[in-house]
Amino acid sequence: MGAAGAAAGLPDGVILSLDKSLLYNIAIQLFNVAVLTVALIFLLYKPVRKFLAERRQTIRAELEEARAIRDEALEQKEQYEKLIAGIESEREEILRQTHKRAMEKSDQMLFDARREAEVIYSRAQAELELERENLNDEMKRQIIEISHMMAGRFVQVSMDRAAQDRFIEHALSEWSGGGNDDGEGGEGEGGDGR
Amino acid sequence: MDFSNKNLGVLFRIGDETIYFNQTHLSTWIVMGMLLILAVIVRLALPRFSAVPRGFQNVVEALVEVMSNFAKSTMGERFEGYGGIYFSIFSFILVSNYSGLVGLRPPTADLATTAALGLITFALIQIGGVREQRGQYLKSFFKPYPIFFPINLVGELSKPVSLAFRLFGNMLGGVIIVGLVYQMLPLALRFLLPDVLHAYFDIFAGALQAFIFTVLSMTFIRQKSVTD
């Protein structure tokens, strides 16, 4: 017996004893370990694992949600890009149409101005022609008058009033009948008159 | 020098047999008490655990996660349930082995404790084998030929024995060596020199033996639970 054991009337301890007391001690330790195992499993291991599983689930759900939001954002971005591309092409189409319409209008205006210019030009030509004819007539009349005055002075001495009128009428009718015969008729009449 | 497991009182009597309360029982209950207090603290703190772990929560989560993953990788997905059992056994062996650091006699330095642990593993091996292999499990003792039955039986029975004696021998050896060194050294040197021995026999060998016991147990269960 050891000192403490002897004082309490207890037998000495052993390092290793393969006897019946070992079986009882094994049973006691089995009970102890079993109780500890069950307690640790239900107090610590399972609750912590449940917590971890729930957190894993939460994180997974949040990741899924984040992924869904990202996909949605990407989809929206794609739509916006398509929209922007559509707007761009629409803008180009509008610009093209406007340019085309402006060109058409410009051509039309040019055409109208040209046509108007032609009308004005042809009218001016006609007026000019008319003016020229008037001037020709006037010139003829003045030439006649001058000729008449010269002839009047010339014949004042050798021709009477009736002969002068006849001569003038004859000359006028000759002029109005054809330009080429004028000289010949005039010369003829003039010759006759002389 | 006395390295025996001292009796501290009478625990109970069965017939003419007296079972004494010894140092192993005391150490076991202290270790159990510490682990149970830790478990209760974790249980109470669990509702306040945050999504981002830190400090104490981080340690608890890491311990549980590591053991769970270890059980899955060693035994497979179907044996995930064994993770809890071996988490408890590993914790018990580890804390028991480290209890020598605070002057207690490690419970694992007693064959009764290690034999109990070996028997638990033996029971789990048989339960796993019967559950997974059904009728084929008993037939496996007669393979490859029926004449091999005695060898297979001894091989099966030797598993808990080897597990128990390996752990017991290592821890008792550490206790004896460290105790001898303490006795050899003068009082002035007892505060520094034995630290190296404690670091090896208690901390390193303690963790190593807890790990070996757990890994071997899981491997044995896995071996017997796989259908040929």
mmCIF file of all heavy atoms in Angstrom, chain A residues 10-11 13-16 24-25 28-30 32-33 36-37 39-40 43 45 47 49 51-52 55-56, chain B residues 4-5 7 9 14 19-20 25 28-29 36 43 46 51 61 65 68 80 84 88 92 111 113 172:
data_model
loop_
_atom_site.group_PDB
_atom_site.id
_atom_site.type_symbol
_atom_site.label_atom_id
_atom_site.label_comp_id
_atom_site.label_asym_id
_atom_site.label_seq_id
_atom_site.Cartn_x
_atom_site.Cartn_y
_atom_site.Cartn_z
ATOM 1 N N LEU A 10 -6.823 1.856 1.449
ATOM 2 C CA LEU A 10 -7.027 1.459 0.047
ATOM 3 C C LEU A 10 -5.832 0.651 -0.429
ATOM 4 O O LEU A 10 -4.690 0.907 0.001
ATOM 5 C CB LEU A 10 -7.191 2.700 -0.839
ATOM 6 C CG LEU A 10 -8.379 3.593 -0.533
ATOM 7 C CD1 LEU A 10 -8.271 4.885 -1.305
ATOM 8 C CD2 LEU A 10 -9.688 2.880 -0.870
ATOM 9 N N PRO A 11 -6.051 -0.297 -1.335
ATOM 10 C CA PRO A 11 -4.921 -1.039 -1.870
ATOM 11 C C PRO A 11 -4.089 -0.173 -2.813
ATOM 12 O O PRO A 11 -4.565 0.836 -3.310
ATOM 13 C CB PRO A 11 -5.586 -2.195 -2.626
ATOM 14 C CG PRO A 11 -6.929 -1.691 -2.970
ATOM 15 C CD PRO A 11 -7.331 -0.729 -1.883
ATOM 16 N N GLY A 13 -2.263 1.115 -6.156
ATOM 17 C CA GLY A 13 -2.692 1.121 -7.563
ATOM 18 C C GLY A 13 -1.789 0.226 -8.388
ATOM 19 O O GLY A 13 -0.758 -0.253 -7.911
ATOM 20 N N VAL A 14 -2.209 0.009 -9.614
ATOM 21 C CA VAL A 14 -1.416 -0.843 -10.507
ATOM 22 C C VAL A 14 -1.172 -0.098 -11.813
ATOM 23 O O VAL A 14 -1.908 0.828 -12.162
ATOM 24 C CB VAL A 14 -2.147 -2.177 -10.807
ATOM 25 C CG1 VAL A 14 -2.184 -3.061 -9.563
ATOM 26 C CG2 VAL A 14 -3.554 -1.918 -11.311
ATOM 27 N N ILE A 15 -0.138 -0.521 -12.514
ATOM 28 C CA ILE A 15 0.096 0.048 -13.852
ATOM 29 C C ILE A 15 -0.749 -0.707 -14.865
ATOM 30 O O ILE A 15 -1.429 -0.118 -15.703
ATOM 31 C CB ILE A 15 1.607 -0.038 -14.212
ATOM 32 C CG1 ILE A 15 2.404 0.911 -13.328
ATOM 33 C CG2 ILE A 15 1.819 0.315 -15.674
ATOM 34 C CD1 ILE A 15 3.906 0.868 -13.574
ATOM 35 N N LEU A 16 -0.711 -2.008 -14.770
ATOM 36 C CA LEU A 16 -1.477 -2.847 -15.704
ATOM 37 C C LEU A 16 -1.908 -4.111 -14.968
ATOM 38 O O LEU A 16 -1.062 -4.849 -14.464
ATOM 39 C CB LEU A 16 -0.605 -3.204 -16.921
ATOM 40 C CG LEU A 16 -1.198 -4.156 -17.947
ATOM 41 C CD1 LEU A 16 -2.426 -3.546 -18.586
ATOM 42 C CD2 LEU A 16 -0.162 -4.482 -19.014
ATOM 43 N N TYR A 24 -14.306 -4.238 -15.207
ATOM 44 C CA TYR A 24 -15.205 -3.225 -14.630
ATOM 45 C C TYR A 24 -14.751 -1.816 -15.015
ATOM 46 O O TYR A 24 -15.568 -0.959 -15.355
ATOM 47 C CB TYR A 24 -15.239 -3.362 -13.102
ATOM 48 C CG TYR A 24 -16.030 -4.578 -12.637
ATOM 49 C CD1 TYR A 24 -15.419 -5.622 -11.947
ATOM 50 C CD2 TYR A 24 -17.397 -4.670 -12.890
ATOM 51 C CE1 TYR A 24 -16.135 -6.730 -11.518
ATOM 52 C CE2 TYR A 24 -18.120 -5.775 -12.462
ATOM 53 C CZ TYR A 24 -17.490 -6.800 -11.784
ATOM 54 O OH TYR A 24 -18.216 -7.885 -11.381
ATOM 55 N N ASN A 25 -13.433 -1.631 -14.961
ATOM 56 C CA ASN A 25 -12.912 -0.300 -15.334
ATOM 57 C C ASN A 25 -13.146 0.008 -16.815
ATOM 58 O O ASN A 25 -13.428 1.148 -17.184
ATOM 59 C CB ASN A 25 -11.423 -0.203 -14.998
ATOM 60 C CG ASN A 25 -11.201 0.062 -13.526
ATOM 61 O OD1 ASN A 25 -11.948 0.823 -12.914
ATOM 62 N ND2 ASN A 25 -10.209 -0.584 -12.937
ATOM 63 N N ILE A 28 -16.679 1.035 -17.084
ATOM 64 C CA ILE A 28 -16.851 2.420 -16.588
ATOM 65 C C ILE A 28 -16.378 3.415 -17.647
ATOM 66 O O ILE A 28 -17.069 4.393 -17.958
ATOM 67 C CB ILE A 28 -16.062 2.616 -15.261
ATOM 68 C CG1 ILE A 28 -16.724 1.811 -14.139
ATOM 69 C CG2 ILE A 28 -15.994 4.094 -14.883
ATOM 70 C CD1 ILE A 28 -15.848 1.689 -12.898
ATOM 71 N N GLN A 29 -15.210 3.119 -18.211
ATOM 72 C CA GLN A 29 -14.667 4.034 -19.217
ATOM 73 C C GLN A 29 -15.520 4.012 -20.496
ATOM 74 O O GLN A 29 -15.682 5.053 -21.143
ATOM 75 C CB GLN A 29 -13.211 3.681 -19.553
ATOM 76 C CG GLN A 29 -12.224 3.953 -18.438
ATOM 77 C CD GLN A 29 -12.182 5.428 -18.043
ATOM 78 O OE1 GLN A 29 -13.116 5.919 -17.389
ATOM 79 N NE2 GLN A 29 -11.132 6.121 -18.407
ATOM 80 N N LEU A 30 -16.052 2.836 -20.821
ATOM 81 C CA LEU A 30 -16.970 2.770 -21.973
ATOM 82 C C LEU A 30 -18.171 3.686 -21.748
ATOM 83 O O LEU A 30 -18.568 4.448 -22.641
ATOM 84 C CB LEU A 30 -17.476 1.326 -22.150
ATOM 85 C CG LEU A 30 -16.842 0.468 -23.228
ATOM 86 C CD1 LEU A 30 -17.440 -0.930 -23.210
ATOM 87 C CD2 LEU A 30 -17.049 1.087 -24.608
ATOM 88 N N ASN A 32 -18.305 6.248 -19.694
ATOM 89 C CA ASN A 32 -17.847 7.648 -19.710
ATOM 90 C C ASN A 32 -17.683 8.167 -21.146
ATOM 91 O O ASN A 32 -18.167 9.246 -21.499
ATOM 92 C CB ASN A 32 -16.498 7.766 -18.993
ATOM 93 C CG ASN A 32 -16.658 7.679 -17.487
ATOM 94 O OD1 ASN A 32 -17.728 7.954 -16.955
ATOM 95 N ND2 ASN A 32 -15.600 7.268 -16.800
ATOM 96 N N VAL A 33 -16.982 7.365 -21.945
ATOM 97 C CA VAL A 33 -16.719 7.803 -23.334
ATOM 98 C C VAL A 33 -18.033 7.881 -24.120
ATOM 99 O O VAL A 33 -18.228 8.813 -24.921
ATOM 100 C CB VAL A 33 -15.708 6.854 -24.017
ATOM 101 C CG1 VAL A 33 -15.549 7.209 -25.492
ATOM 102 C CG2 VAL A 33 -14.372 6.921 -23.327
ATOM 103 N N LEU A 36 -19.820 11.014 -23.054
ATOM 104 C CA LEU A 36 -19.114 12.180 -23.618
ATOM 105 C C LEU A 36 -19.368 12.292 -25.125
ATOM 106 O O LEU A 36 -19.629 13.382 -25.638
ATOM 107 C CB LEU A 36 -17.612 12.048 -23.347
ATOM 108 C CG LEU A 36 -16.765 13.187 -23.898
ATOM 109 C CD1 LEU A 36 -17.029 14.466 -23.113
ATOM 110 C CD2 LEU A 36 -15.287 12.854 -23.842
ATOM 111 N N THR A 37 -19.302 11.140 -25.793
ATOM 112 C CA THR A 37 -19.505 11.151 -27.253
ATOM 113 C C THR A 37 -20.908 11.658 -27.600
ATOM 114 O O THR A 37 -21.065 12.549 -28.453
ATOM 115 C CB THR A 37 -19.295 9.728 -27.823
ATOM 116 O OG1 THR A 37 -17.986 9.303 -27.497
ATOM 117 C CG2 THR A 37 -19.478 9.707 -29.321
ATOM 118 N N ALA A 39 -22.908 13.438 -25.762
ATOM 119 C CA ALA A 39 -23.051 14.848 -25.373
ATOM 120 C C ALA A 39 -22.358 15.761 -26.371
ATOM 121 O O ALA A 39 -22.932 16.786 -26.790
ATOM 122 C CB ALA A 39 -22.468 15.055 -23.980
ATOM 123 N N LEU A 40 -21.147 15.387 -26.767
ATOM 124 C CA LEU A 40 -20.413 16.247 -27.713
ATOM 125 C C LEU A 40 -21.107 16.284 -29.078
ATOM 126 O O LEU A 40 -21.153 17.321 -29.735
ATOM 127 C CB LEU A 40 -18.966 15.772 -27.873
ATOM 128 C CG LEU A 40 -18.014 16.095 -26.726
ATOM 129 C CD1 LEU A 40 -16.606 15.610 -27.048
ATOM 130 C CD2 LEU A 40 -17.978 17.577 -26.437
ATOM 131 N N LEU A 43 -24.385 18.373 -28.428
ATOM 132 C CA LEU A 43 -24.195 19.750 -27.960
ATOM 133 C C LEU A 43 -23.309 20.563 -28.894
ATOM 134 O O LEU A 43 -23.476 21.776 -29.005
ATOM 135 C CB LEU A 43 -23.559 19.749 -26.566
ATOM 136 C CG LEU A 43 -24.491 19.523 -25.381
ATOM 137 C CD1 LEU A 43 -23.684 19.394 -24.095
ATOM 138 C CD2 LEU A 43 -25.489 20.655 -25.234
ATOM 139 N N TYR A 45 -21.113 19.029 -32.071
ATOM 140 C CA TYR A 45 -20.845 18.653 -33.456
ATOM 141 C C TYR A 45 -22.042 18.919 -34.385
ATOM 142 O O TYR A 45 -21.913 19.617 -35.392
ATOM 143 C CB TYR A 45 -20.447 17.173 -33.505
ATOM 144 C CG TYR A 45 -19.936 16.729 -34.859
ATOM 145 C CD1 TYR A 45 -18.663 17.043 -35.287
ATOM 146 C CD2 TYR A 45 -20.749 15.997 -35.706
ATOM 147 C CE1 TYR A 45 -18.201 16.641 -36.526
ATOM 148 C CE2 TYR A 45 -20.297 15.585 -36.943
ATOM 149 C CZ TYR A 45 -19.015 15.902 -37.344
ATOM 150 O OH TYR A 45 -18.569 15.503 -38.570
ATOM 151 N N PRO A 47 -24.980 20.680 -33.879
ATOM 152 C CA PRO A 47 -25.410 22.080 -34.035
ATOM 153 C C PRO A 47 -24.462 22.914 -34.890
ATOM 154 O O PRO A 47 -24.913 23.719 -35.705
ATOM 155 C CB PRO A 47 -25.448 22.594 -32.588
ATOM 156 C CG PRO A 47 -25.592 21.388 -31.754
ATOM 157 C CD PRO A 47 -24.870 20.301 -32.463
ATOM 158 N N ARG A 49 -22.447 21.794 -37.195
ATOM 159 C CA ARG A 49 -22.580 21.338 -38.591
ATOM 160 C C ARG A 49 -23.859 21.868 -39.225
ATOM 161 O O ARG A 49 -23.884 22.251 -40.397
ATOM 162 C CB ARG A 49 -22.555 19.809 -38.648
ATOM 163 C CG ARG A 49 -21.143 19.283 -38.922
ATOM 164 C CD ARG A 49 -21.133 17.791 -39.043
ATOM 165 N NE ARG A 49 -22.043 17.319 -40.074
ATOM 166 C CZ ARG A 49 -21.757 17.299 -41.359
ATOM 167 N NH1 ARG A 49 -20.601 17.738 -41.783
ATOM 168 N NH2 ARG A 49 -22.624 16.851 -42.230
ATOM 169 N N PHE A 51 -25.334 24.630 -38.337
ATOM 170 C CA PHE A 51 -25.065 26.052 -38.581
ATOM 171 C C PHE A 51 -24.255 26.240 -39.866
ATOM 172 O O PHE A 51 -24.576 27.100 -40.702
ATOM 173 C CB PHE A 51 -24.319 26.634 -37.377
ATOM 174 C CG PHE A 51 -23.767 28.005 -37.621
ATOM 175 C CD1 PHE A 51 -24.578 29.128 -37.556
ATOM 176 C CD2 PHE A 51 -22.425 28.193 -37.933
ATOM 177 C CE1 PHE A 51 -24.071 30.381 -37.796
ATOM 178 C CE2 PHE A 51 -21.906 29.447 -38.175
ATOM 179 C CZ PHE A 51 -22.732 30.552 -38.100
ATOM 180 N N LEU A 52 -23.222 25.389 -40.017
ATOM 181 C CA LEU A 52 -22.377 25.489 -41.212
ATOM 182 C C LEU A 52 -23.171 25.179 -42.482
ATOM 183 O O LEU A 52 -23.015 25.856 -43.506
ATOM 184 C CB LEU A 52 -21.186 24.525 -41.102
ATOM 185 C CG LEU A 52 -20.120 24.879 -40.065
ATOM 186 C CD1 LEU A 52 -19.093 23.769 -39.952
ATOM 187 C CD2 LEU A 52 -19.431 26.170 -40.422
ATOM 188 N N ARG A 55 -25.431 28.071 -43.228
ATOM 189 C CA ARG A 55 -24.661 29.199 -43.785
ATOM 190 C C ARG A 55 -24.239 28.904 -45.226
ATOM 191 O O ARG A 55 -24.299 29.777 -46.101
ATOM 192 C CB ARG A 55 -23.434 29.465 -42.917
ATOM 193 C CG ARG A 55 -22.728 30.760 -43.324
ATOM 194 C CD ARG A 55 -21.607 31.091 -42.427
ATOM 195 N NE ARG A 55 -20.571 30.067 -42.472
ATOM 196 C CZ ARG A 55 -19.536 30.039 -41.656
ATOM 197 N NH1 ARG A 55 -19.405 30.953 -40.722
ATOM 198 N NH2 ARG A 55 -18.627 29.099 -41.753
ATOM 199 N N ARG A 56 -23.848 27.630 -45.448
ATOM 200 C CA ARG A 56 -23.464 27.243 -46.806
ATOM 201 C C ARG A 56 -24.650 27.423 -47.756
ATOM 202 O O ARG A 56 -24.510 27.933 -48.867
ATOM 203 C CB ARG A 56 -22.996 25.787 -46.806
ATOM 204 C CG ARG A 56 -22.169 25.410 -48.003
ATOM 205 C CD ARG A 56 -21.594 24.008 -47.867
ATOM 206 N NE ARG A 56 -20.615 23.897 -46.809
ATOM 207 C CZ ARG A 56 -20.682 23.034 -45.796
ATOM 208 N NH1 ARG A 56 -21.684 22.201 -45.701
ATOM 209 N NH2 ARG A 56 -19.749 23.001 -44.875
ATOM 210 N N SER B 4 2.183 3.778 -10.735
ATOM 211 C CA SER B 4 0.906 3.048 -10.752
ATOM 212 C C SER B 4 -0.278 4.020 -10.740
ATOM 213 O O SER B 4 -0.146 5.196 -10.390
ATOM 214 C CB SER B 4 0.825 2.109 -9.547
ATOM 215 O OG SER B 4 0.818 2.878 -8.359
ATOM 216 N N ASN B 5 -1.411 3.478 -11.126
ATOM 217 C CA ASN B 5 -2.657 4.242 -11.152
ATOM 218 C C ASN B 5 -3.260 4.179 -9.748
ATOM 219 O O ASN B 5 -3.933 3.211 -9.389
ATOM 220 C CB ASN B 5 -3.578 3.578 -12.199
ATOM 221 C CG ASN B 5 -4.864 4.334 -12.378
ATOM 222 O OD1 ASN B 5 -5.014 5.456 -11.903
ATOM 223 N ND2 ASN B 5 -5.812 3.703 -13.060
ATOM 224 N N ASN B 7 -5.254 4.375 -6.287
ATOM 225 C CA ASN B 7 -6.665 4.377 -5.886
ATOM 226 C C ASN B 7 -6.912 5.562 -4.962
ATOM 227 O O ASN B 7 -6.127 5.841 -4.051
ATOM 228 C CB ASN B 7 -6.994 3.072 -5.155
ATOM 229 C CG ASN B 7 -6.920 1.886 -6.103
ATOM 230 O OD1 ASN B 7 -7.382 1.955 -7.231
ATOM 231 N ND2 ASN B 7 -6.314 0.795 -5.648
ATOM 232 N N GLY B 9 -10.262 6.121 -3.736
ATOM 233 C CA GLY B 9 -11.445 5.840 -2.912
ATOM 234 C C GLY B 9 -12.191 4.654 -3.475
ATOM 235 O O GLY B 9 -11.787 4.078 -4.494
ATOM 236 N N ILE B 14 -19.505 -4.772 -6.256
ATOM 237 C CA ILE B 14 -20.382 -5.757 -6.898
ATOM 238 C C ILE B 14 -20.027 -7.112 -6.295
ATOM 239 O O ILE B 14 -18.931 -7.641 -6.534
ATOM 240 C CB ILE B 14 -20.184 -5.784 -8.429
ATOM 241 C CG1 ILE B 14 -20.569 -4.436 -9.024
ATOM 242 C CG2 ILE B 14 -21.017 -6.893 -9.074
ATOM 243 C CD1 ILE B 14 -20.333 -4.331 -10.518
ATOM 244 N N ILE B 19 -14.680 -1.975 -6.587
ATOM 245 C CA ILE B 19 -14.115 -1.159 -7.682
ATOM 246 C C ILE B 19 -13.705 0.174 -7.076
ATOM 247 O O ILE B 19 -14.530 0.864 -6.478
ATOM 248 C CB ILE B 19 -15.149 -0.955 -8.817
ATOM 249 C CG1 ILE B 19 -15.695 -2.292 -9.299
ATOM 250 C CG2 ILE B 19 -14.542 -0.155 -9.963
ATOM 251 C CD1 ILE B 19 -14.650 -3.264 -9.823
ATOM 252 N N TYR B 20 -12.440 0.501 -7.252
ATOM 253 C CA TYR B 20 -11.905 1.708 -6.630
ATOM 254 C C TYR B 20 -11.929 2.893 -7.612
ATOM 255 O O TYR B 20 -11.791 2.719 -8.819
ATOM 256 C CB TYR B 20 -10.475 1.457 -6.149
ATOM 257 C CG TYR B 20 -10.418 0.431 -5.043
ATOM 258 C CD1 TYR B 20 -10.110 -0.895 -5.306
ATOM 259 C CD2 TYR B 20 -10.690 0.814 -3.727
ATOM 260 C CE1 TYR B 20 -10.087 -1.830 -4.292
ATOM 261 C CE2 TYR B 20 -10.668 -0.131 -2.706
ATOM 262 C CZ TYR B 20 -10.368 -1.444 -2.993
ATOM 263 O OH TYR B 20 -10.352 -2.377 -1.988
ATOM 264 N N HIS B 25 -9.994 7.604 -13.314
ATOM 265 C CA HIS B 25 -11.379 8.076 -13.263
ATOM 266 C C HIS B 25 -11.429 9.592 -13.019
ATOM 267 O O HIS B 25 -12.195 10.308 -13.673
ATOM 268 C CB HIS B 25 -12.140 7.354 -12.146
ATOM 269 C CG HIS B 25 -12.253 5.879 -12.366
ATOM 270 N ND1 HIS B 25 -12.218 4.960 -11.352
ATOM 271 C CD2 HIS B 25 -12.364 5.146 -13.504
ATOM 272 C CE1 HIS B 25 -12.319 3.729 -11.834
ATOM 273 N NE2 HIS B 25 -12.408 3.830 -13.152
ATOM 274 N N THR B 28 -10.319 11.345 -16.131
ATOM 275 C CA THR B 28 -11.354 11.201 -17.168
ATOM 276 C C THR B 28 -12.503 12.174 -16.911
ATOM 277 O O THR B 28 -12.967 12.853 -17.839
ATOM 278 C CB THR B 28 -11.892 9.755 -17.185
ATOM 279 O OG1 THR B 28 -10.813 8.863 -17.394
ATOM 280 C CG2 THR B 28 -12.921 9.580 -18.278
ATOM 281 N N TRP B 29 -12.937 12.255 -15.659
ATOM 282 C CA TRP B 29 -14.062 13.149 -15.368
ATOM 283 C C TRP B 29 -13.682 14.626 -15.530
ATOM 284 O O TRP B 29 -14.496 15.425 -15.953
ATOM 285 C CB TRP B 29 -14.590 12.858 -13.952
ATOM 286 C CG TRP B 29 -15.320 11.535 -13.875
ATOM 287 C CD1 TRP B 29 -15.632 10.737 -14.918
ATOM 288 C CD2 TRP B 29 -15.781 10.871 -12.700
ATOM 289 N NE1 TRP B 29 -16.273 9.597 -14.488
ATOM 290 C CE2 TRP B 29 -16.391 9.648 -13.119
ATOM 291 C CE3 TRP B 29 -15.754 11.159 -11.333
ATOM 292 C CZ2 TRP B 29 -16.964 8.743 -12.228
ATOM 293 C CZ3 TRP B 29 -16.341 10.251 -10.440
ATOM 294 C CH2 TRP B 29 -16.928 9.050 -10.887
ATOM 295 N N LEU B 36 -17.232 19.010 -21.875
ATOM 296 C CA LEU B 36 -18.666 19.306 -21.801
ATOM 297 C C LEU B 36 -18.915 20.800 -21.573
ATOM 298 O O LEU B 36 -19.834 21.371 -22.163
ATOM 299 C CB LEU B 36 -19.328 18.484 -20.689
ATOM 300 C CG LEU B 36 -19.473 16.995 -21.004
ATOM 301 C CD1 LEU B 36 -19.993 16.234 -19.801
ATOM 302 C CD2 LEU B 36 -20.384 16.768 -22.197
ATOM 303 N N ARG B 43 -22.529 25.730 -27.524
ATOM 304 C CA ARG B 43 -23.989 25.636 -27.774
ATOM 305 C C ARG B 43 -24.681 26.954 -27.457
ATOM 306 O O ARG B 43 -25.592 27.388 -28.159
ATOM 307 C CB ARG B 43 -24.571 24.502 -26.926
ATOM 308 C CG ARG B 43 -26.017 24.171 -27.246
ATOM 309 C CD ARG B 43 -26.089 23.465 -28.587
ATOM 310 N NE ARG B 43 -27.464 23.293 -29.026
ATOM 311 C CZ ARG B 43 -28.144 24.195 -29.689
ATOM 312 N NH1 ARG B 43 -27.597 25.359 -29.979
ATOM 313 N NH2 ARG B 43 -29.390 23.970 -30.070
ATOM 314 N N LEU B 46 -23.645 29.628 -30.006
ATOM 315 C CA LEU B 46 -24.000 29.339 -31.408
ATOM 316 C C LEU B 46 -25.022 30.320 -32.010
ATOM 317 O O LEU B 46 -24.835 30.766 -33.154
ATOM 318 C CB LEU B 46 -24.512 27.897 -31.523
ATOM 319 C CG LEU B 46 -24.562 27.328 -32.937
ATOM 320 C CD1 LEU B 46 -23.181 27.295 -33.571
ATOM 321 C CD2 LEU B 46 -25.143 25.919 -32.913
ATOM 322 N N ALA B 51 -21.938 35.349 -39.679
ATOM 323 C CA ALA B 51 -21.713 34.729 -40.998
ATOM 324 C C ALA B 51 -20.225 34.706 -41.345
ATOM 325 O O ALA B 51 -19.767 33.805 -42.039
ATOM 326 C CB ALA B 51 -22.484 35.485 -42.064
ATOM 327 N N GLU B 61 -15.460 26.163 -35.664
ATOM 328 C CA GLU B 61 -15.876 25.789 -37.030
ATOM 329 C C GLU B 61 -14.790 24.971 -37.724
ATOM 330 O O GLU B 61 -15.084 23.978 -38.393
ATOM 331 C CB GLU B 61 -16.175 27.038 -37.854
ATOM 332 C CG GLU B 61 -17.515 27.652 -37.550
ATOM 333 C CD GLU B 61 -17.823 28.803 -38.486
ATOM 334 O OE1 GLU B 61 -17.157 28.921 -39.531
ATOM 335 O OE2 GLU B 61 -18.722 29.582 -38.158
ATOM 336 N N GLU B 65 -15.374 21.270 -39.037
ATOM 337 C CA GLU B 65 -15.277 21.140 -40.494
ATOM 338 C C GLU B 65 -14.152 20.179 -40.884
ATOM 339 O O GLU B 65 -14.323 19.337 -41.767
ATOM 340 C CB GLU B 65 -15.012 22.529 -41.102
ATOM 341 C CG GLU B 65 -15.167 22.589 -42.597
ATOM 342 C CD GLU B 65 -16.596 22.872 -43.004
ATOM 343 O OE1 GLU B 65 -17.120 23.894 -42.538
ATOM 344 O OE2 GLU B 65 -17.189 22.087 -43.747
ATOM 345 N N SER B 68 -15.190 16.617 -40.055
ATOM 346 C CA SER B 68 -16.240 16.183 -40.977
ATOM 347 C C SER B 68 -15.647 15.849 -42.350
ATOM 348 O O SER B 68 -15.938 14.792 -42.933
ATOM 349 C CB SER B 68 -17.283 17.294 -41.103
ATOM 350 O OG SER B 68 -18.220 16.970 -42.075
ATOM 351 N N GLU B 80 -20.473 9.739 -43.364
ATOM 352 C CA GLU B 80 -20.313 11.065 -42.783
ATOM 353 C C GLU B 80 -20.764 11.079 -41.319
ATOM 354 O O GLU B 80 -20.245 11.842 -40.507
ATOM 355 C CB GLU B 80 -21.125 12.057 -43.614
ATOM 356 C CG GLU B 80 -20.646 13.472 -43.472
ATOM 357 C CD GLU B 80 -21.504 14.426 -44.262
ATOM 358 O OE1 GLU B 80 -22.180 13.979 -45.201
ATOM 359 O OE2 GLU B 80 -21.505 15.617 -43.923
ATOM 360 N N GLY B 84 -19.035 12.616 -36.340
ATOM 361 C CA GLY B 84 -19.366 13.097 -34.998
ATOM 362 C C GLY B 84 -18.761 12.218 -33.920
ATOM 363 O O GLY B 84 -18.213 12.709 -32.925
ATOM 364 N N SER B 88 -15.651 13.343 -31.332
ATOM 365 C CA SER B 88 -15.681 13.237 -29.870
ATOM 366 C C SER B 88 -14.514 12.408 -29.352
ATOM 367 O O SER B 88 -13.841 12.794 -28.380
ATOM 368 C CB SER B 88 -16.999 12.593 -29.427
ATOM 369 O OG SER B 88 -18.080 13.306 -29.936
ATOM 370 N N PHE B 92 -11.475 13.678 -27.045
ATOM 371 C CA PHE B 92 -11.232 13.054 -25.745
ATOM 372 C C PHE B 92 -9.785 12.565 -25.634
ATOM 373 O O PHE B 92 -9.106 12.832 -24.633
ATOM 374 C CB PHE B 92 -12.207 11.884 -25.542
ATOM 375 C CG PHE B 92 -11.959 11.104 -24.297
ATOM 376 C CD1 PHE B 92 -12.181 11.668 -23.044
ATOM 377 C CD2 PHE B 92 -11.477 9.800 -24.344
ATOM 378 C CE1 PHE B 92 -11.929 10.958 -21.878
ATOM 379 C CE2 PHE B 92 -11.222 9.085 -23.188
ATOM 380 C CZ PHE B 92 -11.449 9.665 -21.950
ATOM 381 N N LEU B 111 -4.951 1.118 -19.431
ATOM 382 C CA LEU B 111 -5.470 0.198 -20.451
ATOM 383 C C LEU B 111 -7.005 0.176 -20.480
ATOM 384 O O LEU B 111 -7.607 -0.042 -21.535
ATOM 385 C CB LEU B 111 -4.932 -1.217 -20.196
ATOM 386 C CG LEU B 111 -5.281 -2.256 -21.256
ATOM 387 C CD1 LEU B 111 -4.693 -1.875 -22.612
ATOM 388 C CD2 LEU B 111 -4.785 -3.645 -20.856
ATOM 389 N N THR B 113 -9.069 2.610 -20.303
ATOM 390 C CA THR B 113 -9.569 3.678 -21.196
ATOM 391 C C THR B 113 -9.327 3.317 -22.651
ATOM 392 O O THR B 113 -10.241 3.402 -23.487
ATOM 393 C CB THR B 113 -8.854 5.013 -20.877
ATOM 394 O OG1 THR B 113 -8.925 5.249 -19.485
ATOM 395 C CG2 THR B 113 -9.472 6.161 -21.637
ATOM 396 N N LEU B 172 1.697 5.635 -21.659
ATOM 397 C CA LEU B 172 2.318 5.192 -20.402
ATOM 398 C C LEU B 172 3.841 5.366 -20.486
ATOM 399 O O LEU B 172 4.477 5.800 -19.507
ATOM 400 C CB LEU B 172 1.963 3.729 -20.119
ATOM 401 C CG LEU B 172 2.507 3.191 -18.785
ATOM 402 C CD1 LEU B 172 1.832 3.903 -17.612
ATOM 403 C CD2 LEU B 172 2.281 1.691 -18.673
#
